[in-house]
């Protein structure tokens, strides 16, 4: 019932993801959520640590795109200074924005990873398209109304995953 909500990998943050392992898997593109994945939802700009991480991701040859359900103003103000392409108002978990991002990046589903902090948007959307999905711990507890609703459902799903032995966070 909840199988489409199970990520391929769990990580404490984007900084705990083994980029060399992704490269070895044949991954060439990273579709990443913005709010509570890259930075707090109320932080307007990238942190120095995030800029360093993005530079490392690019240096390793990955293409990067932000796909966010947030509005154009929020996403563009964050992404443009970083020179990261983006899709705003993505309507995740619908497939359209994931497919559009892959088309824009010129990659196949086998070459793409989705990284996000929500099961019901990032993981479900990525899994529906057949992408490799990574769930990260949200960087902040400050969240909008709809995200708070999603978190209630996520707690139920996490309890189910624990009972089934499906929760295994990568603590590296």
């Amino acid at each position: 019932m909840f199988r489409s909500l199970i990520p391929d990998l769990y990580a404490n943050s984007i900084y705990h993801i083994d980029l060399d392992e992704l490269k070895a898997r044949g991954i060439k593109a990273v579709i990443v959520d913005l709010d509570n994945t890259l930075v707090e939802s109320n932080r307007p700009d990238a942190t120095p640590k995030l800029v360093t991480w993005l530079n490392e991701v690019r240096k390793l040859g990955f293409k990067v795109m932000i796909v966010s359900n947030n509005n154009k103003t929020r996403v563009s103000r964050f992404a443009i200074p970083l020179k990261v392409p983006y899709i705003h108002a993505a309507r995740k978990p619908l497939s359209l924005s994931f497919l559009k991002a892959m088309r824009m990046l010129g990659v196949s589903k086998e070459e793409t990873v989705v990284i996000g902090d929500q099961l019901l948007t990032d993981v479900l959307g990525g899994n529906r398209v057949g992408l490799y999905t990574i769930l990260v711990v949200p960087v902040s507890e400050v969240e909008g109304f709809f995200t708070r609703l999603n978190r209630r459902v996520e707690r139920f799903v996490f309890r189910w995953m624990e009972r089934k032995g499906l929760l295994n966070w990568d603590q590296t």
Side-chain angles (χ1 to χ4, degrees), residues 30-34 38 46 50-51 53-55 57-58 62-67 75-88 104-105:
V30 176
I31 295 174
V32 65
D33 180 46
L34 171 55
L38 295 178
L50 176 59
V51 171
W53 182 81
L54 283 170
N55 288 339
V57 168
R58 290 173 174 149
F62 294 103
K63 299 174 183 180
V64 181
M65 179 172 283
I66 294 172
V67 175
V75 182
S76 65
R77 284 184 180 165
F78 185 87
I80 290 171
L82 299 171
K83 296 181 176 64
V84 174
Y86 64 90
I87 296 173
H88 67 281
M104 290 171 67
L105 295 171

Side-chain angles (χ1 to χ4, degrees), residues 134-163:
I134 300 176
L135 179 67
V136 296
V137 176
V139 298
S140 171
E141 292 183 17
V142 175
E143 299 179 313
F145 174 76
F146 291 109
T147 302
R148 287 194 309 270
L149 289 177
N150 282 348
R151 296 290 185 214
R152 287 183 173 195
V153 176
E154 284 181 353
R155 283 192 291 276
F156 176 77
V157 174
F158 281 132
R159 284 194 296 273
W160 173 81
M161 288 181 185
E162 283 177 336
R163 284 194 309 271

Side-chain angles (χ1 to χ4, degrees), residues 3-11 22 25 112-114 119 123 126-127 130-135 166 168 170:
R3 297 270 177 217
S4 58
L5 294 172
I6 300 172
D8 293 299
L9 181 69
Y10 306 92
L22 290 180
R25 292 182 66 85
T112 308
V113 65
V114 173
L119 288 175
V123 174
N127 283 344
L131 306 178
Y132 189 76
T133 55
I134 300 176
L135 179 67
L166 299 171
N168 184 17
D170 179 5

Side-chain angles (χ1 to χ4, degrees), residues 52-131:
T52 300
W53 182 81
L54 283 170
N55 288 339
E56 179 65 21
V57 168
R58 290 173 174 149
K59 189 171 112 183
L60 287 170
F62 294 103
K63 299 174 183 180
V64 181
M65 179 172 283
I66 294 172
V67 175
S68 173
N69 282 347
N70 213 323
N71 63 58
K72 183 176 183 176
T73 301
R74 162 67 173 146
V75 182
S76 65
R77 284 184 180 165
F78 185 87
I80 290 171
L82 299 171
K83 296 181 176 64
V84 174
Y86 64 90
I87 296 173
H88 67 281
R91 299 181 62 204
K92 296 180 290 183
L94 298 179
S95 302
L96 188 61
S97 291
F98 294 103
L99 297 171
K100 180 179 179 181
M102 287 188 299
R103 196 170 45 254
M104 290 171 67
L105 295 171
V107 293
S108 68
K109 65 182 182 179
E110 295 81 16
E111 298 171 321
T112 308
V113 65
V114 173
I115 303 170
D117 69 300
Q118 290 191 61
L119 288 175
L120 298 178
T121 56
D122 308 304
V123 174
L124 177 58
N127 283 344
R128 291 179 71 207
V129 178
L131 306 178

